[in-house]
Amino acid sequence: LTIIASFSLIQFSIENNIWILSFIIFRIFDVVKIWPAGNLEKLHGGHGILLDDIAAGFQTLLAIILLDYFNLI
């Protein structure tokens, strides 16, 4: 699932620091479960587990885009 979430970052150049940073941010978002990931995880069956990882991937994408926009990476 981490690989699926990381594919959303494919638009950026493949520099090691961006991939490492994106993995670290993804793991933070996946553990902390910021809204809506926390609510999605409560869905029945395996759908909730998958959707919360996808939400964490999109949150990571947004964080990386913002970091890139403000020239912090």
Side-chain angles (χ1 to χ4, degrees):
L1 295 175
T2 303
I3 294 170
I4 293 170
S6 296
F7 278 134
S8 63
L9 298 169
I10 209 82
Q11 69 183 5
F12 294 100
S13 63
I14 302 176
E15 297 175 9
N16 287 336
N17 60 344
I18 292 177
W19 287 101
I20 293 168
L21 179 64
S22 66
F23 177 76
I24 292 169
I25 293 173
F26 172 78
R27 292 303 303 150
I28 290 170
F29 283 140
D30 191 35
V31 170
V32 175
K33 307 265 188 256
I34 298 173
W35 183 88
N39 293 341
L40 291 173
E41 185 182 37
K42 296 175 185 172
L43 294 174
H44 297 293
H47 294 93
I49 296 169
L50 180 64
L51 288 174
D52 98 309
D53 288 337
I54 292 172
F58 280 115
Q59 291 167 345
T60 302
L61 176 63
L62 179 62
I64 294 293
I65 289 172
L66 289 174
L67 289 171
D68 186 49
Y69 180 77
F70 290 109
N71 295 321
L72 297 173
I73 56 172

